[in-house]
Amino acid sequence: MSAWRRLLEEESEHQWLSFVAFTVIIISGAVLIEWSNELSGVHEGGQLNVDGQIVDSAGNAILYETENGINISLNGKEEVAPYGTCLVQHGHITFACLGQEGLIWFTEEEHPEEWGWIPMSLGRNITASLLSPNDLNQLLVITQDGTSNSIAAMEISAGDGASPSITHEGDMHLEVATATEDGWLVGGSWQAPANWLGSNPASPPMFELVLYVTWDGINAPSTEIIHMGDEGFIHGIFAAGDSYIATGTSDTLRIENGVASSMGMASYAAIGDMNGDVWLFGGKGSTSVAIISEEEISIEKLPEPLSIMPTYVVCDEKGLISIHGIDGEDKSDAISIDSNARKSFLSLRGIIDLGFILGSILIIGMMGWNITDAIRKGEIF
């Protein structure tokens, strides 16, 4: 320790060396801190490998669009599905909306090659565009009704078909549905009637819409408007602890006990990860990602501006997020983010945090040693 003291003495001939070393440490630390602000675990490519733009995915099935139309892939076997709109997984069963009037389809992961896609009757001449099963063996069925959507429901295993449908004045364009403990949260947009408040009759405005839907098992579902927002649409609804996060192109909402509160953030796509966090992605060229946790909202800087306009996002069981979209040449592309990497000690930020902890322990240890040495020698300090 005496050698260090001589080296750092005020009049020491090595004083210039300590100054240079101090300057190098400060500059290096600043560079590393700046680097550590970039989101870790980002790389090119996605986990869904098909030659086209992803429309939806669930279980072992992928719905995607090519120049020749929409196809559906199940365990690598491809079929044409020109009117396909949705896939959803419920336990070991995957449901599909393939645009055929009066029917939806399902497959069981236990016997995918043996059974393939199996038809299920809706009991009425309606066309399903979106499905959402819940833990009560009920299936919410969003149907296409001209240019608008209607809402029906059915028992999955009863075989009685879908209930009567409910509609709203104006056109509903419903994009997403998420099951809750006693119903569903459904999001999308509401398009005003042509003569609504002097709006342009050729192109009435569309406003963000969130509905709370319940069903008694017999009649048409009941709906309650939870949120009617600014122009735009809701594209995602995710469970987040005791609340739900609804993400939209105009605003993001936290929904708790049936009440929606604005979070003041817009996005083009979003996904919930395995840690209960919700990731919000902006458009092509955006430089950051917003991550909503139960207690906080963090903004993470991307290593490079987003090179695609995101159209579909998925997170696998290992926490790998794949963002699929369209690049500047109108071609399908994807990037991936390891949602666990930003909190890992193996990331640059984790290494810097660990170095800071060890450095702090070293400095505190040296201070303690100096104090102890001064007390032992009876020095005043």
Side-chain angles (χ1 to χ4, degrees):
M1 200 59 81
S2 59
W4 281 102
R5 287 176 176 172
R6 288 196 300 272
L7 184 64
L8 299 175
E9 274 183 55
E10 186 177 352
E11 301 300 331
S12 169
E13 61 183 354
H14 300 290
Q15 187 174 1
W16 64 270
L17 181 60
S18 63
F19 177 77
V20 170
F22 179 75
T23 302
V24 170
I25 291 173
I26 292 297
I27 295 175
S28 300
V31 172
L32 289 175
I33 290 173
E34 176 63 23
W35 285 352
S36 72
N37 286 331
E38 294 181 353
L39 185 63
S40 301
V42 181
H43 56 85
E44 294 290 330
Q47 65 198 66
L48 302 178
N49 297 316
V50 292
D51 187 17
Q53 180 181 344
I54 305 295
V55 176
D56 207 350
S57 68
N60 297 321
I62 304 173
L63 194 66
Y64 64 99
E65 185 173 8
T66 69
E67 295 179 354
N68 299 320
I70 297 176
N71 294 340
I72 189 168
S73 170
L74 178 63
N75 296 307
K77 182 180 179 181
E78 299 181 358
E79 298 179 43
V80 176
Y83 306 108
T85 57
C86 85
L87 294 168
V88 63
Q89 190 172 17
H90 181 57
H92 63 280
I93 297 175
T94 299
F95 292 97
C97 306
L98 299 183
Q100 188 169 346
E101 190 177 78
L103 293 175
I104 57 175
W105 304 79
F106 72 95
T107 185
E108 297 187 58
E109 289 188 2
E110 296 177 357
H111 310 285
E113 296 182 358
E114 181 179 351
W115 298 107
W117 291 108
I118 304 170
M120 176 184 290
S121 175
L122 292 172
R124 297 195 287 125
N125 292 330
I126 54 177
T127 302
S129 60
L130 181 66
L131 302 170
S132 179
N134 65 13
D135 293 334
L136 301 176
N137 201 38
Q138 297 174 336
L139 185 66
L140 189 73
V141 183
I142 308 300
T143 64
Q144 194 67 37
D145 186 9
T147 60
S148 180
N149 290 133
S150 302
I151 302 175
M154 62 185 293
E155 297 285 346
I156 292 177
S157 57
D160 296 332
S163 72
S165 300
I166 186 171
T167 60
H168 281 271
E169 182 182 4
D171 289 347
M172 294 189 301
H173 302 274
L174 303 177
E175 307 280 342
V176 61
T178 298
T180 65
E181 290 185 358
D182 51 5
W184 293 267
L185 286 171
V186 181
S189 61
W190 176 79
Q191 189 169 25
N195 58 352
W196 188 75
L197 295 179
S199 62
N200 182 357
S203 180
M206 300 174 67
F207 302 93
E208 288 186 342
L209 174 69
V210 179
L211 300 173
Y212 176 58
V213 181
T214 56
W215 185 49
D216 62 7
I218 301 174
N219 302 300
S222 299
T223 63
E224 176 186 352
I225 296 177
I226 297 295
H227 171 75
M228 180 81 75
D230 294 332
E231 290 190 44
F233 64 92
I234 299 295
H235 54 71
I237 301 177
F238 309 96
D242 296 329
S243 62
Y244 292 85
I245 302 297
T247 57
T249 56
S250 178
D251 198 1
T252 296
L253 311 166
R254 185 180 293 276
I255 301 173
E256 194 166 6
N257 298 322
V259 178
S261 56
S262 172
M263 303 183 73
M265 295 181 295
S267 60
Y268 285 93
I271 193 64
D273 68 14
M274 304 306 294
N275 301 314
D277 299 335
V278 179
W279 296 60
L280 277 64
F281 300 93
K284 184 177 182 295
S286 58
T287 58
S288 61
V289 178
I291 304 172
I292 303 174
S293 302
E294 285 192 45
E295 303 297 332
E296 63 179 3
I297 301 173
S298 60
I299 306 297
E300 302 282 353
K301 182 180 178 182
L302 292 169
E304 296 180 357
L306 198 61
S307 59
I308 58 175
M309 173 59 75
T311 56
Y312 181 74
V313 188
V314 65
C315 182
D316 68 11
E317 296 178 353
K318 297 180 180 179
L320 183 65
I321 297 173
S322 291
I323 306 100
H324 297 262
I326 304 298
D327 63 15
E329 299 179 354
D330 290 332
K331 295 181 179 180
S332 300
D333 202 355
I335 64 171
S336 295
I337 300 174
D338 183 353
S339 63
N340 300 310
R342 67 190 187 100
K343 296 181 179 179
S344 171
F345 268 120
L346 298 178
S347 67
L348 179 58
R349 182 177 305 179
I351 293 172
I352 291 177
D353 289 342
L354 180 60
F356 176 77
I357 293 172
L358 295 178
S360 299
I361 292 173
L362 178 61
I363 291 172
I364 293 173
M366 292 179 62
M367 292 174 62
W369 186 90
N370 286 330
I371 292 172
T372 302
D373 186 54
I375 292 174
R376 181 174 58 81
K377 294 180 178 180
E379 297 178 351
I380 299 176
F381 58 91

